[in-house]
Amino acid sequence: MALRAPAETAAPEAGERRPVTVLFADLVGSSALAARLDPEDLRDLLLAYREAAAAAVTGQGGSLSQHQGDGILARFGFPVAREDDAERALRAALGIARAVAALRARLGLALEVRVAVHSGIVVVATLGHGVASEPGAMVGEVTTVAARLQHAAGPGEVWVSEATRRLAPRRFRFAPRGEVALAGLPRPVLAHRLEDELPPGLAAPGPAAAGPPLVGREDELRGLFSAWRDAEAGAGTAVMIEAEPGHGKTRLFEEFRARIGAAGEAAVVVACSAGDEASAFRPLIAWLSAAAALPPRAAPDEARGALAAWLGRHGLAGTEHAAPLAVLLHCATPAEAAEMEAAGRRRRRRGMAAFLAALRAGAGPGTALFVAEDIHWADDSTLAVLRLLADACAARDAAMLLLLTRRPEGHGLPGAAPLTFRLHPLDDAAARRLAAAAAPQGADPALLAGIIARAGGVPIFLVEAARDAQADCALPLTLRAGLTARLDALPEAKPLAQLAAVIGRSFRGDMIAALAETVGLPSARRPLRRLVEVGLMEPEGPPEAPTGYTFRHELMRDMAYETLLRSRRATLHLALARLLPERFADLVDQRPELLARHLAAGGAAAEAVAAYERAAARAMRAGAHGEAAGHFRAALEQVPKLPGPVRDAAEARLQVGLAAQITVARGNAVPEVGEAFATAHAAALRLDDRQLLLRTLRGLQTFHLVRGSVREGHAIGERIMALMEGERDGAALLQAHRPFGLGLLYLGRYREARQHLERVLALYDPARDEPHRFDYGSDPAVLARAHLGWAHWFEGDAAAAFAADAAAVAAARGLDHAHSLCFALAFRCALAQFAGRGDECLAAAGELGAVAAGHDFAYWSAWAAILEGWARARRGERAAGEAMLRRGLEDYRAMGAGLLLPYALALLASLVLGEEGGALLTEAERLAEAGGIAFSESTVAAARAALAP
């Protein structure tokens, strides 16, 4: 919950988010002691207790935060974090318990103490001003949990939360106490009683290698070698390594590449990063820019020369792939730019083909190795290219191997899943081997044992601990605590690391320098050099003059970012968003989604929405409809933050845009399309906006028609026609009559349908109505002619039917608009099937399938498979045709579509006959009756007649 908007200033807010371990101790029965003892004696007792407790806390490096009567609050992890803060707190807790026992024995009083320890994230800041200020105050649930947990402990006991126990699982002995309900807290806390500290375990130290060895991944490595041998023999494949962050995905690939020698060195490596999900082809653009040695921020002529040289060396100069690559790398000639602009919706498909060709050419001769890292961050277009590459690897005699990595929660490779190895945490033996190998010579065995106990088998934890030991730093409890300690040890570089984390994992040197200047930090050069020296970052570009930097691991960036207060993050994001258009306008033009992301994180919701809409428009022009939909979704997340007067209008506009992009990519019947139009319609009602009401009703009408709820779609159409009473706008009338006529066609009211569709053609103005192809997905005149073909057929006029069909396809070809052409071809192949013209059906379905596949139109691909399957079976390819029809039917159902189901089921029934055929026809009749789908009646009846004895 945001309680205040971020200021339009980059002045630093006081405080930060930090991991801390809190200790709370309280004397038992202090009120009874006060009643029994003289006040001076009670004072002496409390002073002795406080001094003993303070000695136990400060002796372990903690600090006393508060004295509350006979209660003591201590913290570990502020002002300076140590990576064993939780262990220190546990030792201090035991020390307090022992000190109070000693006081009891010395003074002869019934003196007991209760202690609790809990770990978590707090905000440490100065609260208040002047005499009321409280420097270094801790704000958060951690202190409350510790205080409440202390009340649950028995006299003389130390209780520890599960959060703290997990930080030191084997250095101390615990007795479980189960889940404990604590007053005022919404959730119970899993608690343990701390019994004692165990003697530290030992790990056999060994000489540190130049780099840590690969440990505990022998089975996976053997699997990679097996896949490599198969690839060398011409049986290529794709292999996925799936694991949580820090489990060694990249390290496994590094080891494999090193062991296969020259082929590993020549591997084509595509790295995806957080933030790439919204930018089409971003990882591939970065790979090709590096492969072609395009100078950073080079002028177009210089970049063009470098790209042309690379294309020439790899046999791609002068091919169809040169123009899309030049456009995507922003160095195209005017002719190349015009060529790709003319490609229209084919731009994305040409870009995919070009990158596939570039990847294969970049691999060089011999068995090719491709590596795609962190594809959970890949954009839809990059994933589509990787799918094509995986399919190429699996082709006959393909000497290629594709290796991929991903996190379990992110994107996977679309299509058939590749062979997948899942990395699990290392067992104790492997963890000990890795810790010993990664540590410097002479490392304390007890400290190594502590690493193993805390790391939970995650390799990166173990390696980071060893590096800290080498730098003479305390060892980490978790990577978060470890990074906090490392940043605390670099006070001059810590603010810059936090600033860099706001930009992202990778960032340009000139951008971090400009942002540092904007927010009032000193020169970035020395802090960056220091961060590289200690291993938190790696330089990019020439070593003598780096052009950018990268956090060595995404977790490092995450942890640096999370040390910032939310308010400070918002301030810095907004400062960067203000800087980007001023100093990096070229980057904003190429990636408006980058500006949008920082505006959103900075609290500038209205500007973020506008930037996301620009990003969506850019993606649409490139045919990247999945990315465009993603931009609309991101913009919609900002809508609740907009002021009331503009919120409904923005929501309606964005939902309509989202629905349009999903429709093109996945079809009208996808549930998200209906949800988007329904939400937009509710906003239109609140706005009382007639045009918007018509647009959203039109979307809902088509949604229900394609889902097979024809009666419901027709009812919405009747509402639209009522709203059009007295309308004189030809374009608006056209978009009312066309879907209304289509609904009538599906209902079997063919004469009425024809009248409305002929009205569409009379209203159509090619120049005025050109935008309809993009606003509604298809050209209305093409659609009306295609519909008329069916209407004439069902009225019994075959000649008029095929004339209208020919006009529809010709018009679509003349427009060079892929989606309109798919619509016309879909109706053509069905019309040919109605007429029993198998060869014509096969030709139309084949072309439909090719065009749909080339533009990722899933709906039309399914339609094509259904009709092509029928046509192939009719010409004698019975098994192949039936399999294709079944696959198309399954894909069609999977999209939520229902309109074609009765017809498709009848086609399948005509092939299988027998008992299954009867069941299929029964389902077809049920669906047709439920949805009011009449056009399929003749096909169902013919199949039913064929089943009759």
Side-chain angles (χ1 to χ4, degrees), residues 11-84:
E13 293 86 349
E16 64 177 345
R17 300 169 69 89
R18 299 180 65 91
V20 297
T21 296
V22 171
L23 180 155
F24 200 97
D26 195 18
L27 284 178
V28 179
S30 56
S31 298
L33 285 172
R36 291 172 50 202
L37 297 178
D38 181 83
E40 289 189 37
D41 294 334
L42 180 62
R43 179 201 63 185
D44 293 341
L45 172 63
L46 290 177
L47 284 175
Y49 158 65
R50 288 187 177 185
E51 288 173 358
V57 168
T58 57
Q60 292 298 325
S63 60
L64 295 176
S65 177
Q66 295 176 10
H67 290 286
Q68 299 174 353
D70 51 7
I72 291 175
L73 178 65
R75 59 190 176 190
F76 296 78
F78 182 82
V80 176
R82 297 178 178 87
E83 301 189 41
D84 59 349

Side-chain angles (χ1 to χ4, degrees), residues 900-923:
L900 208 63
L901 285 180
Y903 173 58
L905 289 167
L907 293 180
L908 181 58
S910 70
L911 300 182
V912 299
L913 301 177
E915 185 176 339
E916 183 187 2
L920 290 169
L921 289 176
T922 299
E923 183 184 2

Side-chain angles (χ1 to χ4, degrees), residues 705-727:
L705 289 176
V706 178
R707 284 185 71 85
S709 301
V710 175
R711 292 192 188 93
E712 190 169 351
H714 178 67
I716 296 173
E718 289 181 321
R719 290 175 59 191
I720 294 173
M721 296 305 294
L723 286 170
M724 298 303 293
E725 188 73 32
E727 179 63 57

Side-chain angles (χ1 to χ4, degrees), residues 126-135:
T126 297
L127 296 182
H129 302 279
V131 295
S133 68
E134 182 185 352

Side-chain angles (χ1 to χ4, degrees), residues 921-936:
L921 289 176
T922 299
E923 183 184 2
E925 290 161 347
R926 179 184 61 78
L927 292 172
E929 173 61 29
I933 305 169
F935 79 89
S936 60

Side-chain angles (χ1 to χ4, degrees), residues 769-832:
D769 298 329
E770 180 183 4
H772 289 215
R773 300 173 209 160
F774 307 98
D775 294 340
Y776 295 90
S778 299
D779 181 79
V782 169
L783 271 56
R785 290 188 173 97
H787 303 334
L788 275 170
W790 280 23
H792 285 308
W793 173 265
F794 288 119
E795 283 189 299
D797 191 343
F802 283 100
D805 166 76
V809 173
R813 295 194 199 283
L815 295 172
D816 191 25
H817 187 250
H819 204 260
S820 298
L821 179 59
C822 282
F823 209 115
L825 289 170
F827 273 62
R828 165 171 283 187
C829 59
L831 181 62

Side-chain angles (χ1 to χ4, degrees), residues 401-425:
L401 177 61
L402 170 61
L403 305 181
L404 310 108
T405 69
R406 68 180 290 268
R407 293 182 185 177
E409 72 276 11
H411 294 307
L413 194 66
L419 174 66
T420 300
F421 297 127
R422 291 177 175 84
L423 304 185
H424 301 288

Side-chain angles (χ1 to χ4, degrees), residues 266-344:
V268 172
V269 180
V270 177
C272 308
S273 300
D276 285 347
E277 306 96 318
S279 300
F281 299 118
R282 182 66 188 166
L284 294 168
I285 291 170
W287 163 75
L288 185 54
S289 298
L294 267 66
R297 297 176 297 283
D301 287 345
E302 185 180 5
R304 190 179 305 124
L307 177 61
W310 189 89
L311 294 173
R313 290 194 303 271
H314 292 83
L316 296 177
T319 68
E320 63 185 318
H321 304 308
L325 292 176
V327 168
L328 288 165
L329 269 65
H330 309 290
C331 60
T333 63
E336 290 170 329
E339 176 184 342
M340 293 307 297
E341 189 65 29

